[in-house]
Amino acid sequence: GDAMDALIARLTRVVEFNCQEVIDENHSVTVECIGGAENLLFEISCDQSDVGLVIGRNGRNIEAIRTLVRSACRGANVRTSVEVTHSRR
């Protein structure tokens, strides 16, 4: 519904913002939400050289982003996952 669409749009922006904070300012990052009512996959696409920065040391950054997404969706009865891929240029 509308509330879920708004939540997805907001989370997509939040994930993108958090990724943008750790990568090279000249590089771009895009976040796409794939899935439906029960499963949401937030796919982060960035330059190959930035993948490690998005993931962070020992996976700290990506785990923080996953926790944020999970807690934002807590009441929505939806499974979430966040994955990082590199854009092929």
Side-chain angles (χ1 to χ4, degrees):
D2 286 348
M4 190 54 141
D5 291 345
L7 177 65
I8 290 169
R10 205 164 43 246
L11 278 173
T12 301
R13 286 194 303 273
V14 166
V15 171
E16 199 167 305
F17 174 80
N18 278 281
C19 294
Q20 205 70 60
E21 288 296 296
V22 296
I23 68 170
D24 187 303
E25 64 185 54
N26 301 320
H27 293 175
S28 67
V29 61
T30 57
V31 178
E32 191 179 359
C33 182
I34 303 160
E38 292 166 16
N39 288 304
L40 295 177
L41 166 63
F42 289 88
E43 193 173 75
I44 301 166
S45 184
C46 60
D47 200 83
Q48 189 164 9
S49 62
D50 292 323
V51 170
L53 295 171
V54 170
I55 292 170
R57 182 167 291 152
N58 297 324
R60 275 197 202 116
N61 292 347
I62 196 66
E63 280 311 312
I65 291 170
R66 286 179 177 139
T67 300
L68 195 110
V69 168
R70 210 173 17 250
S71 26
C73 293
R74 186 162 284 138
N77 206 14
V78 65
R79 293 179 65 165
T80 61
S81 53
V82 180
E83 299 300 327
V84 185
T85 62
H86 63 83
S87 38
R88 288 155 188 80
R89 295 186 183 199

